[in-house]
Amino acid sequence: MKELAISGDLAVDLATAFDASPNPYMLLTPELHFAGMNAAYLDVVGSTRADLIGRNLFEVFDGGATDEGRENSRQLRASFERVLETGKPDHLAVIRYAIPRTLPSGETVLEERYWSATHTPIRDGDGRTAYILQHTNDITELEILRRQAAGRQTETALTNMVSGDILTRAEHVQEDNRRLQTERNRLFDIFMQAPGFITVLSGPNHVFQMHNAAYARLVGRDDLVGKSVVEALPEVREQGFINLLDQVWTTGEAIEGRGSPLQIRRHNGGPLETVYVDFVYQPIRDAAGRIVGIFVQGHEVTDIVLAVERQRLMIDELNHRVKNTLATVQSIAMQTARTHIDPASFAETFQARLMALSHTHDLLTRSHWEGAELGAILEHETEAHGPQRVLLNGPPLALTPATALSLGMIFHELATNAAKFGALSSVDGRVLVDWTIIDRPVRRLNLTWREVDGPPVEAPSRRGFGSRLIERSVRHDLAGSIDLRYSIGGFEATISIPLDRGDPT
C-alpha cells in the first residue's frame, strides 16, 4: 500500500483512528484487490485481514450463484467502475449482497445481507485514482423490518408506518447525500473554472486552503495549499497586501482594490513582473459569527490599465503636437501674408504650404507617429513634378516626427522654388537629391539638393519667406547647417543635421 506523504507520528495516529472507527471502511486497488480495512469492516464481514489482503473482492464475495446474486454483483462492480472512470464518489443507497458465514458446526454458508455503501476515489500525487475507499453500512435489520411490515396484513397501521418509514428515511438520507455530493462537485467545478481568480485563506496567518486555476496563473505557481501567503509569495510582503488582509481579519470589514499594482515572480528565480488587479477581500465567518478566514476574488486588469495609460499619453502627445502644428500654421500664415499682398496669391501659396504639412502628417499617421522614412517624405513633396524629373539616391533612413515635419516643409519650399525659378521651370530641367549617413563623431544626415539643365540662376536681391523658412528650420529646429549656392549650372543646397537629438515635439 502506497504511504501517505505525512509525518511518521501523524501516520500512526491516522492509522489508529482508521482502525478504531466504528464505521466499516476498506480500501481497494484499481484492480479491486483488498489493500486495507479497519476492524469494524472485519467484524461486519466476519473475516480476518490475512484472509482478505491482496485478494480480489469478487473472489471473496461473489454475491451468490443465483440470477439475483449475479445482478447484485454487477451493480457493485458498476459502482466501482464509475469511480474509476469519473474520479468522483459513487453511492449505493441499498444493495442486497450475500456474504459467507461460518456456522458453529464449521459449515460455510452464504448469508443474505442488505447494505448501503459510498465509494470514494483516493488520488495519488499525479491525480490518478490509486485506491477506492468503501464506507459501508449493514442495514439488513431495517430491510427485514420493512419486509415484515409489508407481509403482516394483520399488524396495526402504526406498525406498518413505523417499520416501513425507517428504511424509507434511510433511503431518503442516502439520496440527499447523493444530491449534495453532486451539487458540491458542480460548485467545485464552477469554482475551478471561474474566469476571475479566487482563493480561500484561513486563520490569522492567511493560509491557502484552496484556489482556482486563474489564481495559479496569476501568481505563476500552484503549490500553495497549506502555506501562508508570506511563505508562498514572499515578494508581496512589502507591497501592502498582507496589511490589508490583517485589516480584514481584525475589523471584519471587506476591502476592495481597483487597478492595484502587484509585483509577482511568476517563475522560480525569474524577475519581478508588474501586473494590475481588481480585487475584493471578504471575511468568512463561522456559525458563531467569528472570522475564520478571508475569501479573495478578483480579475487581472493589466491590459486595461496599460491601455488607459497609453491613451492618456497619446492625448497628452496629441495636445502637444496640435499646439506645435497650430504655431507652425500661424507662422506660415503671417510670413506668407507679408510677401503676398494679393489675396488670391496669398491663398494659393498658403494652401500649398498647408498641403505640404498635411502630407507629412499623413506619413506620420500611418506609422502611429513613430516616425517617417526620408525617401517617402521626398517622394510626397516632389511627386507632382514627376519621378523622372526628381531623382532620389540614398540609403533608407527613419526620421523622428519632429525631424520629418521640418524636412517636409523644407523639401516643399525647395520644390516650389525649383518649379517657379529653377530647374523644374523648364522642360529639360531635373533635380538630383543625394544623401548619406555619417556615423562619427556623431551620427548625421548629409543631403544635397542639386538642380541641373535648368535656366541660369542668380542669387535673389532679397530673401523671401521660403528661403528664411528653410534656413530657420535647418538651423533652429534641426540644429544643423545649410549652404545655399546660386551658380550658373544651377541652384544647389547642402544640408547637414544631427540624427540623435531625440524628438522635442
Side-chain angles (χ1 to χ4, degrees):
M1 177 176 176
K2 184 177 179 179
E3 291 294 333
L4 299 175
I6 54 181
S7 67
D9 291 343
L10 182 56
V12 172
D13 291 342
L14 290 176
T16 302
F18 176 76
D19 198 52
S21 173
N23 298 310
Y25 289 97
M26 64 89 164
L27 278 175
L28 291 176
T29 68
E31 295 75 29
L32 306 183
H33 291 169
F34 282 102
M37 67 288 297
N38 66 354
Y41 182 85
L42 294 173
D43 290 341
V44 168
V45 300
S47 189
T48 66
R49 283 189 175 85
D51 291 336
L52 300 179
I53 293 294
R55 298 179 65 187
N56 186 278
L57 171 69
F58 293 101
E59 175 189 344
V60 180
F61 305 117
D62 61 7
T66 65
D67 289 343
E68 185 178 6
R70 284 189 288 271
E71 173 60 21
N72 293 336
S73 296
R74 187 198 65 77
Q75 292 181 24
L76 183 60
R77 187 184 295 272
S79 177
F80 292 135
E81 290 174 351
R82 284 193 293 272
V83 173
L84 293 172
E85 180 180 350
T86 66
K88 297 179 180 179
D90 193 74
H91 309 276
L92 292 173
V94 179
I95 183 173
R96 181 180 179 183
Y97 207 88
I99 62 172
R101 291 289 192 194
T102 301
L103 301 177
S105 63
E107 180 185 1
T108 300
V109 298
L110 286 177
E111 180 180 6
E112 293 290 344
R113 307 294 293 177
Y114 293 88
W115 312 88
S116 176
T118 297
H119 300 138
T120 303
I122 305 298
R123 296 181 177 86
D124 61 16
D126 296 325
R128 294 186 293 266
T129 300
Y131 299 100
I132 299 174
L133 175 68
Q134 184 192 75
H135 173 213
T136 185
N137 286 310
D138 187 343
I139 59 171
T140 303
E141 286 71 20
L142 291 175
E143 177 64 12
I144 290 174
L145 285 174
R146 188 186 68 80
R147 288 174 177 249
Q148 288 175 349
R152 294 172 182 170
Q153 301 298 324
T154 60
E155 293 288 332
T156 64
L158 180 58
T159 302
N160 285 329
M161 182 183 300
V162 171
S163 60
D165 238 14
I166 293 174
L167 186 59
T168 299
R169 284 198 301 270
E171 291 175 346
H172 285 171
V173 169
Q174 293 292 333
E175 184 60 29
D176 287 343
N177 287 340
R178 180 191 292 272
R179 285 196 297 269
L180 287 173
Q181 184 64 34
T182 299
E183 183 66 15
R184 177 186 179 278
N185 292 339
R186 188 175 73 85
L187 291 175
F188 184 76
D189 289 341
I190 293 174
F191 175 91
M192 291 302 297
Q193 297 173 23
F197 61 79
I198 303 174
T199 187
V200 176
L201 307 174
S202 68
N205 293 326
H206 318 304
V207 176
F208 285 100
Q209 293 299 301
M210 59 191 307
H211 61 81
N212 68 347
Y215 191 89
R217 288 194 298 271
L218 173 70
V219 301
R221 67 205 77 171
D222 57 8
D223 56 338
L224 305 173
V225 174
K227 300 177 182 177
S228 69
V229 174
V230 171
E231 180 184 4
L233 308 172
E235 60 268 33
V236 308
R237 181 195 298 268
E238 305 301 329
Q239 297 182 44
F241 294 98
I242 304 300
N243 292 338
L244 294 179
L245 290 171
D246 290 341
Q247 184 177 335
V248 175
W249 177 266
T250 303
T251 66
E253 299 289 336
I255 288 180
E256 182 176 356
R258 294 290 182 185
S260 300
L262 166 66
Q263 288 190 312
I264 200 75
R265 206 178 303 277
R266 297 195 179 193
H267 306 285
N268 288 335
L272 286 173
E273 301 179 36
T274 300
V275 298
Y276 296 86
V277 293
D278 290 346
F279 67 89
V280 176
Y281 292 162
Q282 183 75 33
I284 301 173
R285 301 179 185 272
D286 61 13
R290 294 184 297 266
I291 297 175
V292 295
I294 297 175
F295 184 74
V296 178
Q297 62 176 329
H299 292 83
E300 182 181 349
V301 293
T302 303
D303 290 343
I304 296 175
V305 171
L306 294 181
V308 170
E309 178 64 16
R310 284 194 297 269
Q311 185 180 45
R312 186 188 66 79
L313 291 175
M314 288 178 63
I315 291 174
D316 290 345
E317 180 71 11
L318 178 62
N319 288 335
H320 182 65
R321 293 189 187 282
V322 167
K323 290 178 181 178
N324 285 351
T325 300
L326 290 176
T328 301
V329 171
Q330 183 181 30
S331 175
I332 292 173
M334 293 175 61
Q335 295 297 332
T336 305
R338 289 177 183 173
T339 55
H340 293 77
I341 301 176
D342 177 47
S345 175
F346 165 79
E348 179 182 356
T349 304
F350 182 61
Q351 182 177 11
R353 286 168 175 163
L354 288 185
M355 288 302 297
L357 190 63
S358 174
H359 286 162
T360 308
H361 271 255
D362 287 342
L363 289 175
L364 291 171
T365 300
R366 293 174 193 172
S367 68
H368 305 286
W369 277 80
E370 293 180 359
E373 219 280 329
L374 173 61
I377 297 173
L378 280 163
E379 289 175 358
H380 258 276
E381 299 304 334
T382 61
E383 62 184 353
H385 307 289
Q388 73 280 4
R389 303 194 66 192
V390 180
L391 305 180
L392 309 178
N393 178 43
L397 176 61
L399 301 172
T400 64
T403 302
L405 286 171
S406 295
L407 286 177
M409 294 299 298
I410 292 170
F411 296 148
H412 169 75
E413 294 300 329
L414 289 173
T416 299
N417 288 338
K420 286 184 177 180
F421 313 110
L424 298 180
S425 65
S426 67
V427 176
D428 298 325
R430 292 173 299 150
V431 175
L432 308 179
V433 184
D434 297 278
W435 68 90
T436 58
I437 301 171
I438 306 301
D439 291 326
R440 295 179 181 178
V442 293
R443 191 164 176 263
R444 299 183 69 86
L445 166 67
N446 291 338
L447 181 142
T448 300
W449 175 287
R450 186 160 57 93
E451 301 178 13
V452 297
D453 299 332
V457 295
E458 58 183 23
S461 57
R462 66 179 182 86
R463 292 193 310 154
F465 171 65
S467 298
R468 292 198 302 273
L469 184 147
I470 292 172
E471 293 183 8
R472 182 182 184 281
S473 296
V474 172
R475 295 192 174 109
H476 180 268
D477 297 340
L478 301 177
S481 61
I482 184 170
D483 180 23
L484 304 179
R485 295 183 297 279
Y486 298 87
S487 62
I488 297 178
F491 171 76
E492 185 173 331
T494 300
I495 299 172
S496 179
I497 61 173
L499 294 176
D500 296 326
R501 295 192 311 125
D503 186 6
T505 63

